Amino acid sequence: MIVIEGARLLDARRSQKADLLIDGGRIVEVGVLSDAQRASADERIDGRGRLVIPGFVNTHTHAAMVLFRGLTDDVPLMEWLEQKIWPVEKHLAASHVLAGTRLAALEMISSGTTTFQDMYFQPEAAAQAVASLGMRAVISRVFFDLFTPQTPAALKEDIRGTITRLRQYPNVKPSIGPHAPYTVSLPGLAAVAELAEEEDLLIHFHIAETEREMLDFAAKHGERLVPALDRVGLLSPRLTAAHGIFLEDDDAALLGARGVTILHCPASNMKLGSGWSQTGHPRALPYRRLTGAGVRVALGTDGAASNNNLDMWEAMKLAALLQKHATGDSATLTAHEAFAMATLHGAEALGLEAGLIEPGRRADLVLIDLERPYFYPGHDLVADLVYAGRPDCVETVLVEGKVVLRGGRHPEARAIYAGAREASRDLMRQAGIPLDPPA
């Protein structure tokens, strides 16, 4: 049992000053606690001068790609994938993914993220990394059935085996990870939709990231992408779809009607130039078009190979600024909306009983030190968090009511850094990429 005393509490719905009682991994009481409750706690955390918020939920990552951070930059998406990333990924082993995901998890915990959704190779190694740091994750094994064709039945059986193994790890929820419309067949996506229903799973997918993707799909299939996905049964509340830049009004209406969540990744979209259009008018996520149609929009960083960090503070700020810049309307995506996207909307998208500070919710919480110059003078705390906040204000992180970060430092950090550096260098050697000696 943990008591947090005298903190200011802030979530997407309310702000108050109160004590917190945490037991069994959940928030039990919010308010003024009795002396008996305080005395019975196994740990009492002084919350004075601290802010407690729900942990950030990073809804779109390829965590182990931290090993590729800085490997290749300043190139467009398909060149980045086809010429730079995929040739190296051919050499990935479980040991690389384990070391990379441990580094990614440490980076996320240290900046206040308590849950992430991952799509990558060697998912059991990723789950092992998550369990070792006490984090929470939704994990899928990415697949590309246009490159390695399988019958729908064989594909389903293969994925089912991975799901069974992932369910053995604490705090890990399996999902299904078809990569994208240009790497996965429509029959494969139909099989995914069926399997998701059979196994009660989320689907993690890329959609409408570039104009080329949309034009190529229409030319190949003779129909537009979103209606085609609906025809094969992929559009449902189970679908969490990253990017969504090139979505039109009818797409948004169909996504909203089916309960799909779009995962906005502003940093990687801008860095990869994904909003380029043949019309000469750059595109950004059509946020108001989507939310106006009832589509939930959550927030992600994407992988550190295309961002180059896993910082949800930066993602919140960029999401808000990009919409203002793209629309000319400074109220298009407010600080309060960005904060909700990073916390509550992400928790809802992933089916987590978290995202708010209220009794019954999972105790995935972050204590922030408000004694930072960028939080002063303090006119609007939410605006300060979104537009001025930085990871260095994160002091304590709890996942499932257990402290996984204390004092802003993790005891395994040095070992995790060394392991990731060695794993990255080993991977680059195998891929034939020369690297300078470490400093």
Side-chain angles (χ1 to χ4, degrees):
M1 184 183 296
I2 294 178
V3 167
I4 302 176
E5 300 175 296
R8 183 171 177 182
L9 315 180
L10 176 71
D11 63 26
R13 294 181 181 169
R14 64 186 65 85
S15 174
Q16 61 183 310
K17 187 170 183 179
D19 302 325
L20 276 178
L21 178 63
I22 298 165
D23 194 21
R26 293 184 182 265
I27 299 168
V28 175
E29 192 168 338
V30 180
V32 179
L33 301 180
S34 68
D35 291 341
Q37 288 173 315
R38 297 170 190 271
S40 64
D42 301 303
E43 180 175 1
R44 295 169 67 173
I45 297 175
D46 186 355
R48 290 173 297 178
R50 303 294 183 266
L51 175 71
V52 179
I53 64 170
F56 294 133
V57 180
N58 188 345
T59 57
H60 182 61
T61 66
H62 312 288
M65 290 185 81
V66 291
L67 299 182
F68 301 165
R69 180 169 17 222
L71 176 64
T72 182
D73 296 293
D74 308 322
V75 296
L77 172 64
M78 296 314 297
E79 178 184 341
W80 176 80
L81 275 176
E82 295 171 352
Q83 299 179 27
K84 305 295 184 179
I85 298 301
W86 286 346
V88 179
E89 286 182 331
K90 292 178 181 178
H91 301 276
L92 272 171
S95 59
H96 302 133
V97 173
L98 174 62
T101 307
R102 277 173 58 81
L103 177 62
L106 175 63
E107 181 175 347
M108 285 189 271
I109 290 170
S110 299
S111 55
T113 294
T114 52
T115 301
F116 66 98
Q117 180 173 225
D118 201 51
M119 172 203 289
Y120 208 49
F121 305 100
Q122 304 286 351
E124 292 165 71
Q128 183 180 343
V130 168
S132 73
L133 272 74
M135 208 174 176
R136 192 188 306 283
V138 178
I139 294 177
S140 63
R141 187 194 72 198
V142 67
F143 68 87
F144 312 73
D145 78 335
L146 287 179
F147 296 166
T148 54
Q150 291 178 284
T151 66
L155 179 61
K156 286 170 70 173
E157 191 59 30
D158 188 17
I159 297 171
R160 207 186 302 271
T162 300
I163 291 163
T164 299
R165 292 187 292 274
L166 286 175
R167 282 178 169 151
Q168 301 172 13
Y169 290 89
N171 285 359
V172 168
K173 182 178 179 180
S175 65
I176 309 176
H179 178 254
Y182 51 87
T183 53
V184 182
S185 68
L186 287 174
L189 293 175
V192 161
E194 292 173 1
L195 183 59
E197 287 293 328
E198 293 165 7
E199 295 285 344
D200 189 21
L201 298 172
L202 294 173
I203 301 166
H204 189 185
F205 190 49
H206 297 87
I207 182 176
E209 186 173 2
T210 66
E211 186 179 58
R212 173 181 164 184
E213 170 195 328
M214 305 299 276
L215 296 175
D216 287 354
F217 184 93
K220 178 179 179 179
H221 297 279
E223 60 183 325
R224 295 178 60 246
L225 174 62
V226 173
L229 298 180
D230 192 48
R231 179 173 57 79
V232 300
L234 195 71
L235 303 189
S236 79
R238 299 184 183 282
L239 180 60
T240 63
H243 305 305
I245 300 171
F246 287 88
L247 295 170
E248 306 303 334
D249 287 345
D250 53 349
D251 297 327
L254 189 50
L255 295 171
R258 299 291 185 262
V260 174
T261 297
I262 294 295
L263 316 175
H264 182 30
C265 302
S268 70
N269 291 164
M270 288 191 288
K271 185 179 180 227
L272 293 170
S274 298
W276 180 86
S277 171
Q278 290 180 350
T279 65
H281 299 287
R283 292 279 294 266
L285 176 87
Y287 177 73
R288 284 296 176 208
R289 176 182 297 159
L290 291 167
T291 56
V295 178
R296 179 194 296 118
V297 180
L299 199 58
T301 60
D302 212 336
S306 64
N307 183 314
N308 291 15
N309 61 43
L310 302 170
D311 179 2
M312 290 288 285
W313 296 90
E314 180 181 81
M316 285 193 296
K317 181 173 183 175
L318 289 179
L321 298 190
L322 177 58
Q323 289 300 310
K324 301 174 196 307
H325 176 73
T327 65
D329 180 357
S330 60
T332 297
L333 198 166
T334 67
H336 287 257
E337 288 173 298
F339 181 63
M341 288 167 64
T343 54
L344 179 59
H345 294 178
E348 291 173 336
L350 301 187
L352 306 176
E353 297 171 305
L356 292 172
I357 305 175
E358 61 184 26
R361 296 273 176 164
R362 295 189 182 277
D364 294 358
L365 303 169
V366 176
L367 273 76
I368 291 169
D369 182 2
L370 293 176
E371 292 297 310
R372 291 287 190 271
Y374 45 79
F375 288 140
Y376 280 85
H379 296 300
D380 184 325
L381 184 52
V382 176
D384 287 343
L385 290 174
V386 171
Y387 297 131
R390 296 178 358 202
D392 68 352
C393 68
V394 173
E395 185 176 79
T396 304
V397 177
L398 292 84
V399 177
E400 197 78 3
K402 298 177 181 177
V403 176
V404 297
L405 184 80
R406 195 185 300 271
R409 298 181 179 275
H410 196 282
E412 297 184 49
R414 288 187 177 276
I416 290 171
Y417 297 154
R421 172 171 282 172
E422 179 51 39
S424 180
R425 297 188 71 79
D426 178 68
L427 181 58
M428 299 309 144
R429 282 194 294 267
Q430 292 190 46
I433 296 175
L435 291 178
D436 294 331

